[in-house]
């Protein structure tokens, strides 16, 4: 094993901590490679991860963010899984710290079924195996990557994950808690705007699912459903035959008109009771503080199931 660390222009005592651990690890037979730059400001998570990969030499890559802790068996168990699935990203279950932070998100991370690791790739939660748990072969990383180096505010993990799926990659999770996943206000993930994530998700939905449908219904005539409609390209908006809902007040209105549409006359999309609506559906609901997109195919399976 080797440890590859890249210090992204930190101004704290990271360098001293790294040197302290370098001695301990090298005394234990673990090679340590340390890179850094001294620019006035950091260049971002994507750049740093790419540098850490580039300066390393192992055949497999086990990613670890600087604010998390991995359990003793993580490398062995994920390595075994990666050998069996060479074109997959291998994740694991996590334990959140503090334990009561992001409870719904933590359940989502840990309880997705193997099938849902592919069918829930359109949700707002991001990759179905979270970046701090990723393990994969160097050959596959090189085939998909590198990470986007746009810096602060860029969801480099989500963009890599989508490219991984485009290239036919699989998603595997070792069902043991192998990472202490820390939550704190300074985490880099908080720099990514919800609107940025939404835009990438909708574009991926349009790329992966909507080309297979001549028409579809948006399940939810409320704020989230209307937002999805407005976010679609003009060609995909024309495929929306109706909204459907359970709210009698929305149904009574009869239609939704997109006031900013450049079309003349402006399209008036019917709002139906869900029992009168026809599949395929995009179910678009808001869960606590995160929007959630799910596609439903005519036969009852999700779009991702149907495509894969």
């Amino acid at each position: 094993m080797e440890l590859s660390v890249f210090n992204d222009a930190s101004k704290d005592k990271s360098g001293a901590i790294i040197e302290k651990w370098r001695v301990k690890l090298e005394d234990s037979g673990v090679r340590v490679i340390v890179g850094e730059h001294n620019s006035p400001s950091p260049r971002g998570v994507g750049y740093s991860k790419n540098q850490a990969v580039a300066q390393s030499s192992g055949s497999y890559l086990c990613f670890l963010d600087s604010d998390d802790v991995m359990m003793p068996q993580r490398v062995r168990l994920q390595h075994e899984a990666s050998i069996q699935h060479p074109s997959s990203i291998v994740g694991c279950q996590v334990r959140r710290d503090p334990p009561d932070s992001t409870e719904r998100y933590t359940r989502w991370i840990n309880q997705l079924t193997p099938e849902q690791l592919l069918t829930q790739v359109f949700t707002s939660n991001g990759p179905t195996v979270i970046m701090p748990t990723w393990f994969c072969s160097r050959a596959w990383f090189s085939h998909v990557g590198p990470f986007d180096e746009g810096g602060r505010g860029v969801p480099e993990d989500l963009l890599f994950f989508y490219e991984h799926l485009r290239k036919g990659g699989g998603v595997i999770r070792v069902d043991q808690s192998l990472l202490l996943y820390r939550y704190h206000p300074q985490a880099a993930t908080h720099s990514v705007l919800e609107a940025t994530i939404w835009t990438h998700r909708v574009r991926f939905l349009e790329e992966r699912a909507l080309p297979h449908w001549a028409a579809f219904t948006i399940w939810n005539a409320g704020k989230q459903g209307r937002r999805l409609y407005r976010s679609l390209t003009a060609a995909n908006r024309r495929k929306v035959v109706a909204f459907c809902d359970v709210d009698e007040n929305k149904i009574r209105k009869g239609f939704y008109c997109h006031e900013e549409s450049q079309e003349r006359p402006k399209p008036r999309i019917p709002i139906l009771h869900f029992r009168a609506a026809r599949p395929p559906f995009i179910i678009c609901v808001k869960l606590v503080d995160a929007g959630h997109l799910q596609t439903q195919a005519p036969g009852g399976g999700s779009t991702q199931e149907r495509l894969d």
Side-chain angles (χ1 to χ4, degrees), residues 16 70 80 105 144 161 190 240:
M70 66 181 189
E80 290 171 357
Y105 178 49
V144 176
F161 189 68
H190 298 313
V240 179

Side-chain angles (χ1 to χ4, degrees), residues 77-126:
L77 293 173
Q78 289 190 298
H79 178 238
E80 290 171 357
S82 194
I83 290 173
Q84 297 298 316
H85 304 277
S87 61
S88 290
I89 291 176
V90 179
C92 65
Q93 293 178 328
V94 303
R95 181 162 54 90
R96 200 62 152 142
D97 180 42
D100 59 349
S101 59
T102 65
E103 291 179 287
R104 182 175 61 82
Y105 178 49
T106 305
R107 283 197 305 273
W108 183 81
I109 292 169
N110 289 333
Q111 295 179 7
L112 289 173
T113 66
E115 182 182 62
Q116 287 173 327
L117 293 174
L118 284 175
T119 61
Q120 292 208 10
V121 297
F122 300 114
T123 74
S124 63
N125 295 324

Side-chain angles (χ1 to χ4, degrees), residues 5 17 28 30 35 43 46 50 97 99 104 108 122 127 140 146 150 154 160 180 220 223 258 264 295:
V5 182
I17 294 171
S28 300
V30 177
R43 294 185 60 177
N50 287 336
D97 180 42
R104 182 175 61 82
W108 183 81
F122 300 114
W140 184 253
V154 173
F160 187 98
L180 182 68
N220 185 358
K223 183 177 179 181
H258 178 29
R264 295 294 182 272
T295 54

Side-chain angles (χ1 to χ4, degrees), residues 22-257:
R22 182 209 289 266
V23 173
K24 290 184 177 182
L25 289 168
E26 289 183 340
D27 286 348
S28 300
V30 177
R31 183 172 180 241
V32 178
I33 308 102
V34 179
E36 63 181 352
H37 70 89
N38 296 310
S39 301
S41 59
R43 294 185 60 177
V45 176
Y47 171 80
S48 301
K49 283 189 167 74
N50 287 336
Q51 293 299 309
V53 170
Q55 68 189 20
S56 69
S57 61
S59 299
Y60 290 87
L61 304 171
C62 179
F63 291 94
L64 180 68
D65 287 349
S66 59
D67 51 354
D68 299 323
V69 181
M70 66 181 189
M71 302 299 106
Q73 299 302 314
R74 180 186 170 193
V75 172
R76 179 178 67 82
L77 293 173
Q78 289 190 298
H79 178 238
E80 290 171 357
S82 194
I83 290 173
Q84 297 298 316
H85 304 277
S87 61
S88 290
I89 291 176
V90 179
C92 65
Q93 293 178 328
V94 303
R95 181 162 54 90
R96 200 62 152 142
D97 180 42
D100 59 349
S101 59
T102 65
E103 291 179 287
R104 182 175 61 82
Y105 178 49
T106 305
R107 283 197 305 273
W108 183 81
I109 292 169
N110 289 333
Q111 295 179 7
L112 289 173
T113 66
E115 182 182 62
Q116 287 173 327
L117 293 174
L118 284 175
T119 61
Q120 292 208 10
V121 297
F122 300 114
T123 74
S124 63
N125 295 324
T128 49
V129 288
I130 60 169
M131 172 67 220
T133 72
W134 285 9
F135 191 109
C136 65
S137 72
R138 175 183 294 273
W140 184 253
F141 176 88
S142 299
H143 178 63
V144 176
F147 289 109
D148 187 291
E149 296 187 359
R152 187 174 177 83
V154 173
E156 83 294 328
D157 56 342
L158 183 64
L159 296 177
F160 187 98
F161 189 68
Y162 283 165
E163 188 62 23
H164 164 76
L165 295 174
R166 289 185 185 103
K167 294 189 174 180
V171 188
I172 305 295
R173 187 186 64 218
V174 174
D175 284 336
Q176 292 191 41
S177 181
L178 302 177
L179 186 85
L180 182 68
Y181 184 32
R182 287 183 169 151
Y183 176 86
H184 56 89
Q186 290 76 39
T189 188
H190 298 313
S191 71
V192 182
L193 298 177
E194 186 273 338
T196 301
I197 299 292
W198 175 273
T199 298
H200 287 302
R201 289 164 57 212
V202 172
R203 294 290 87 84
F204 192 65
L205 176 74
E206 291 185 305
E207 172 193 326
R208 297 281 285 186
L210 299 192
H212 300 268
W213 293 349
F216 62 92
T217 300
I218 296 177
W219 190 302
N220 185 358
K223 183 177 179 181
Q224 290 297 108
R226 297 195 304 269
R227 182 187 183 192
L228 172 62
Y229 176 83
R230 294 192 300 269
S231 300
L232 298 171
T233 63
N236 282 319
R237 283 199 299 269
R238 287 192 286 271
K239 292 183 179 182
V240 179
V241 294
F243 291 90
C244 70
D245 213 295
V246 297
D247 187 326
E248 293 294 342
N249 291 327
K250 295 188 181 78
I251 296 166
R252 203 174 295 119
K253 290 180 180 177
F255 65 90
Y256 167 68
C257 181

